Amino acid sequence: MTAIVPSPVALDLSSLPAALMRPSSLIELAVLAGVMLLSWLIVRALRPAPREGHHHHSIWFGTSLVDGVLFPVLMLALAHVARRVLLDLGQPVAVFRLALPILLSLVLIRLSVRVLRAAFPSSALVRAAERTISWIAWVGVALWVTGVLPVVLDELDDIQWKLGSHPVSLRTLIEGSLSAGFVLVVALWISAALDARLLDGASGEQLSLRKVAANVLRAALLFTGLLVALSAVGINLTGMSELGGA
């Protein structure tokens, strides 16, 4: 039977209410509130003024100050710095152990949602994709915080079969799918930014040509991103060709 080894951020949830009642947790909550306020102020200072007659739908800044990607990214970065400072001062960081994985999942969810909405603004599948990404992220956070994630990963690694001459585990396939999804989201983000540049100010026949170029560029970026994601987890085209020739 596999022993459960707590993760570095694992927190005994049964002791969480007692931890929150300690004076030290109030200090952490105050620091976390300060991190949120500072992040909001930075986003407000960096956000460009919207042009007249145009709605602001930036992936970084969203339609308001807090629904873009930049706000949770800043919160995560500043919270990590604040946690290090508190540790150096000898301050317990139970609240930050819970807050950091939540902020990380929020960054991943916000990034995926904003990019998908920008790349496919009228797609009915985007809503379903958003819900799926949210569920995966929050389940991952729950497993991470409780320390169960390493055990689950070890069990998934034990489920193996061969793809051609290469052994492949269920963990590898899941990690490959998640990595591919993340890389494809980044590729879509780059594609959306380049599309906006290409189509800005174009009209008539020039607009049609630029749309074709934008579609070709998006397809190339997605294909390249998929190859990078697959190679990152050790799944290559050689193994696939061996399977086809078997």
Side-chain angles (χ1 to χ4, degrees):
M1 183 175 179
T2 306
I4 296 180
V5 180
S7 67
V9 297
L11 186 64
D12 185 0
L13 297 183
S14 63
S15 65
L16 182 59
L20 291 176
M21 295 299 293
R22 292 200 301 260
S24 60
S25 67
L26 298 179
I27 297 175
E28 289 186 80
L29 292 173
V31 172
L32 200 56
V35 163
M36 182 181 299
L37 177 60
L38 181 58
S39 301
W40 183 83
L41 291 174
I42 294 175
V43 173
R44 183 179 180 184
L46 294 178
R47 188 187 186 197
R51 292 181 296 175
E52 185 177 354
H54 291 78
H55 296 287
H56 207 284
H57 296 290
S58 167
I59 292 175
W60 276 112
F61 298 97
T63 55
S64 63
L65 291 177
V66 297
D67 66 342
V69 176
L70 185 57
F71 180 71
V73 166
L74 283 174
M75 278 199 65
L76 178 62
L78 293 175
H80 181 72
V81 172
R83 176 179 176 272
R84 293 304 309 171
V85 172
L86 291 176
L87 283 174
D88 291 340
L89 295 175
Q91 176 75 24
V93 289
V95 174
F96 274 90
R97 285 185 177 180
L98 188 61
L100 286 175
I102 291 175
L103 289 174
L104 177 59
S105 67
L106 184 60
V107 169
L108 296 177
I109 293 171
R110 188 67 57 79
L111 173 63
S112 303
V113 168
R114 296 303 307 182
V115 170
L116 289 175
R117 286 182 181 177
F120 308 104
S122 57
S123 174
L125 296 177
V126 170
R127 292 290 183 185
E130 291 175 7
R131 288 192 293 268
T132 301
I133 293 169
S134 298
W135 273 105
I136 292 174
W138 292 125
V139 169
V141 167
L143 294 176
W144 184 8
V145 169
T146 56
V148 179
L149 185 59
V151 180
V152 174
L153 293 179
D154 288 341
E155 294 297 330
L156 292 176
D157 211 21
D158 291 337
I159 305 175
Q160 297 186 358
W161 61 90
K162 282 194 173 183
L163 185 64
S165 60
H166 300 273
V168 177
S169 68
L170 183 57
R171 173 179 177 175
T172 300
L173 291 181
I174 294 176
E175 289 179 347
S177 300
L178 295 177
S179 299
F182 179 76
V183 172
L184 292 179
V185 166
V186 174
L188 281 174
W189 188 356
I190 298 173
S191 161
L194 294 177
D195 285 357
R197 293 280 183 152
L198 284 173
L199 301 179
D200 188 26
S203 60
E205 183 178 349
Q206 189 181 36
L207 178 61
S208 300
L209 292 175
R210 291 192 181 187
K211 282 185 176 180
V212 173
N215 290 334
V216 171
L217 183 61
R218 174 177 295 185
L221 284 172
L222 290 177
F223 181 71
T224 303
L226 182 60
L227 292 181
V228 170
L230 292 178
S231 63
V233 293
I235 302 176
N236 53 48
L237 296 179
T238 303
M240 298 297 290
S241 61
E242 289 180 2
L243 180 63

